[in-house]
Amino acid sequence: MQLIDGKATAAKIKEEIAAEVKDIMAKGGKQPHLAAILVGHDGGSETYVKNKVLACEACGFKSSLIRFEENVSEEELLDTVKKLNDDADVDGFIVQLPLPKHIDEQKVIEAIDYRKDVDGFHPVNVGRMAIGLPCFISATPLGILTLLQRYNIETSGKKCVVLGRSNIVGKPMAQLMMQKQYGDSTVTVCHSHSKTLKEECREADIIIAAIGRPDFVTADMVKEGAVVIDVGTTRVPDATRKSGFRLNGDVKFDEVSPKCSFITPVPGGVGPMTICSLMKNTLAAGKKEYYK
Ligand code: NAP
């Protein structure tokens, strides 16, 4: 079994990005600029945004953080999105999700200029990704693809089972694994109403678990030699930790890992790659790689 080290891979990619940014700037080019909008004080969102700001520093990007209290109006938020769309210095920006219930998340996503949508959530980017055109690919699926590539894991013609069908992970992951220029796999998507989930998993060469159910994937669901990618990050209470919780994956690591050819740990697997993929997208936005 080989452990897929997302932390080390992400650190290497950030170094590569930083070298490229240095080169761009040495040639008189513009420093890439990522902005983030954060609403409220949700612990998870605060951590993600803080890590994104730190990653920007590591990559040599400029970063700005715009904060709002939980009671911000939808109008005010949309107005800020418009300002960022129009700000020529901002290459890309994200609105940290989830948003409070009184704000229509989809409306906010669609208000973002797709050319600055480095999260890849705008329908234009989602649509372009689905038909294999250059675009911002959402960060978690892009991070997983990068891990598979960097570890030279063969995916072409393999049977891949994706657990979960969310817009940010499951669906784009399945699309990408299916496409010829990316995974080129035979893909099955399972969700909470799938009756043959266990059987599908048992036949899979690659399992990508993104359901948010701690320890859901057990050894009896995994065939010998499978590649297992664990996207799940659920906070579970843990009195031994200073924070009072730990992050738990969707895979029962101790019993599943001995059967795998490759497996990602939680934490230290997919998580660091997600942020590093956002940095990749920001660099591409700065270079106007996909859109003028
Ligand atoms: P989500 O929007 O809640 O979607 C969960 C999906 O899992 C849904 O499609 C749901 O099915 C399915 N599901 C739930 N319980 C199931 C069960 N018992 N059996 C089969 N399918 C089940 O979650 P998400 O945003 O995709 O995130 C999934 C997990 O990944 C979470 O733990 C999240 O924290 C983590 N995550 C990690 C990163 C990272 O960077 N590491 C990034 C994003 C997400 P239905 O469609 O039928 O409801």
Side-chain angles (χ1 to χ4, degrees), residues 48 140 163-166 168-170 190-193 197 209-213 216 231-234 250 270-271 274:
Y48 293 137
T140 303
L163 301 180
R165 57 176 163 185
S166 72
I168 63 163
V169 192
C190 296
H191 47 76
S192 67
H193 291 249
L197 186 150
I211 57 176
R213 298 280 178 264
F216 181 89
V231 188
T233 42
T234 307
D250 287 344
V270 173
T274 296

Side-chain angles (χ1 to χ4, degrees), residues 33-54:
H33 181 181
L34 174 71
I37 301 179
L38 175 60
V39 178
H41 299 276
D42 171 75
S45 296
E46 291 268 4
T47 307
Y48 293 137
V49 169
K50 192 183 90 193
N51 288 337
K52 286 168 190 176
V53 171
L54 289 174

Side-chain angles (χ1 to χ4, degrees), residues 163-178:
L163 301 180
R165 57 176 163 185
S166 72
N167 287 342
I168 63 163
V169 192
K171 268 187 219 155
M173 196 69 242
Q175 289 271 7
L176 292 163
M177 288 307 288
M178 174 184 68

Side-chain angles (χ1 to χ4, degrees), residues 214 234-241 243-248:
T234 307
R235 283 182 172 196
V236 298
D238 186 341
T240 67
R241 306 285 172 103
S243 60
F245 69 86
R246 68 187 150 84
L247 287 183
N248 205 115

Side-chain angles (χ1 to χ4, degrees), residues 22-99:
K22 216 170 158 187
D23 192 43
I24 290 170
M25 291 175 67
K27 290 180 180 141
K30 180 184 170 300
Q31 183 182 26
H33 181 181
L34 174 71
I37 301 179
L38 175 60
V39 178
H41 299 276
D42 171 75
S45 296
E46 291 268 4
T47 307
Y48 293 137
V49 169
K50 192 183 90 193
N51 288 337
K52 286 168 190 176
V53 171
L54 289 174
C56 281
E57 279 170 22
C59 292
F61 297 165
K62 180 174 171 185
S63 71
S64 337
L65 175 58
I66 302 162
R67 302 190 72 123
F68 289 106
E69 289 304 320
E70 193 85 16
N71 61 359
V72 64
S73 68
E74 187 178 281
E75 201 186 347
E76 200 178 343
L77 198 57
L78 289 171
D79 193 45
T80 305
V81 166
K82 188 175 177 318
K83 282 193 186 118
L84 292 174
N85 285 341
D86 296 340
D87 185 340
D89 191 60
V90 173
D91 296 296
F93 66 98
I94 59 152
V95 180
Q96 184 64 43
L97 303 178
L99 292 171

